């Protein structure tokens, strides 16, 4: 198997939910003991899989984010690879410590790298759009809604210029649009534009009605906007899709029922969530209130 084939297989295993097998294929053998390696020849389309695998397997995920932030400044890595790592690390670092110097340095490096992509292969323009969306998400977490919107405007310009031609190109485009709409929803909420946030995320289930994450993002936006009935329907749609996301959907359904005084339905929803994933403290806490 060639290095490219191994990277592709590793990315596929990660997407299927098998991080251990993905780590083996990607050659990440010591992630539990040390830091993840980003070799100089790593391809930008596969470095994200390496980072996500390391994040899932490392006993201290914050260290993986730190390593990715450092790698953004590594001149041995290609501009595309460094931008990909910046896109991965910025929102995570901002959610942990929105005012850290490492975050601001990464934002500066990402902005500088974006100016060097004029002649990049069009096939890799997705890295630019992902970096802009991550810059927007980080700006939201830093409390800079206008900057977040400006980044998204630039990302939208590139995204709308794409012309998918069916097959895998269409799937890739759909995935990018879903990520963009979710970021747009966050940016609107940060400006107090609840209607704009709902309008953005309402398009997500239409793009992929079988994507639990799309329904979850829309349900959360509706919930944050106080539109409980619509949020309830969004989370009920998730129940039909099966899998682990059902636990989160059932928890939110329980919260909605409880807030409406429907205690029996709330208890049943919390119990259902707990039966799928008994490790979430918030679910245990809410269930204990009914005893």
């Amino acid at each position: 198997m060639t290095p490219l084939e191994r990277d592709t297989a590793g990315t596929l295993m990660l997407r299927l939910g098998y991080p251990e097998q993905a780590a083996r294929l990607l050659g990440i053998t010591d992630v539990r003991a040390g830091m993840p390696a980003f070799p100089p020849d790593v391809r930008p389309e596969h470095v994200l899989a390496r980072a996500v695998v390391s994040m899932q397997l490392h006993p201290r995920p914050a260290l993986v984010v730190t390593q990715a932030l450092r790698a953004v400044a590594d001149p041995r890595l290609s501009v595309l690879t460094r931008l990909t790592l910046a896109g991965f690390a910025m929102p995570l670092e901002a959610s942990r410590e929105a005012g850290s110097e490492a975050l601001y340095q990464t934002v500066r490096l990402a902005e500088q790298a974006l100016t060097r992509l004029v002649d990049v292969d069009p096939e890799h323009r997705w890295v630019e759009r992902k970096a802009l969306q991550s810059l927007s998400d980080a700006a939201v977490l830093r409390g800079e809604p206008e900057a977040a919107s400006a980044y998204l405007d630039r990302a939208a310009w590139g995204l709308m210029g794409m012309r998918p031609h069916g097959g895998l190109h269409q799937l890739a485009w759909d995935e990018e649009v879903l990520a963009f709409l979710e970021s747009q929803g966050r940016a609107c909420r940060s400006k107090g534009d609840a209607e704009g946030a709902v309008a953005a995320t309402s398009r997500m289930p239409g793009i992929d009605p079988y994507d639990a994450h799309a329904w979850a993002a829309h349900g959360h936006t509706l919930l944050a906007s106080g539109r409980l009935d619509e949020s309830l329907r969004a989370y009920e749609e998730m129940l039909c899709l099966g899998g682990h996301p059902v636990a989160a959907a059932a928890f939110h359904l329980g919260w909605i029922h409880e807030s409406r005084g429907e205690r029996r339905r709330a208890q049943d929803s919390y119990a259902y969530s707990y039966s799928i994933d008994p490790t979430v403290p918030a679910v245990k806490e809410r269930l204990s209130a009914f005893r």
Side-chain angles (χ1 to χ4, degrees), residues 134-208:
S134 293
L135 282 164
S136 173
D137 291 343
V140 166
L141 291 166
R142 295 201 313 266
E144 300 172 0
E146 297 305 322
S149 293
Y151 286 128
L152 282 181
D153 287 344
R154 291 168 62 188
W157 183 264
L159 187 59
M160 294 304 107
M162 290 180 65
R163 291 292 182 269
H165 303 292
L168 292 177
H169 284 96
Q170 182 67 51
L171 290 174
W173 189 79
D174 287 349
E175 196 167 283
E176 279 204 53
V177 172
L178 288 173
F180 172 82
L181 291 172
E182 187 174 11
S183 292
Q184 189 175 48
R186 281 192 288 265
C188 288
R189 285 201 305 274
S190 72
K191 294 190 296 184
D193 180 9
E195 289 304 311
V198 170
T201 59
S202 67
R203 296 172 56 193
M204 296 176 68
I207 293 171
D208 188 350

Side-chain angles (χ1 to χ4, degrees), residues 198-268:
V198 170
T201 59
S202 67
R203 296 172 56 193
M204 296 176 68
I207 293 171
D208 188 350
Y210 302 106
D211 185 338
H213 186 78
W215 285 107
H218 186 43
H220 175 72
T221 301
L222 290 166
L223 197 60
S225 302
R227 296 163 67 160
L228 298 188
D229 289 345
E230 294 168 89
S231 181
L232 186 76
R233 288 193 290 273
Y235 287 120
E236 285 176 341
E237 289 287 345
M238 287 180 66
L239 297 182
C240 304
L241 300 177
H244 199 263
V246 169
F251 173 77
H252 284 97
L253 285 170
W255 189 92
I256 294 169
H257 287 308
E258 187 175 3
S259 68
R260 295 165 60 170
E262 301 165 349
R263 289 182 57 81
R264 180 65 183 181
R265 287 186 174 183
Q267 184 177 13
D268 289 345

Side-chain angles (χ1 to χ4, degrees), residues 273-287:
S273 178
Y274 183 81
S275 70
I276 298 169
D277 185 357
T279 67
V280 182
V283 179
K284 294 180 183 178
E285 179 185 335
R286 295 315 312 144
L287 266 179

Side-chain angles (χ1 to χ4, degrees), residues 43-45 80 84 117 119-129 162-165 168-169 172 176:
R43 296 170 62 89
E45 60 265 42
L80 287 169
T84 301
L117 291 181
D119 299 319
V120 75
D121 184 338
E123 288 296 316
H124 288 122
R125 286 312 237 182
W126 64 272
V127 176
E128 177 185 41
R129 294 187 292 271
M162 290 180 65
R163 291 292 182 269
H165 303 292
L168 292 177
H169 284 96
E176 279 204 53

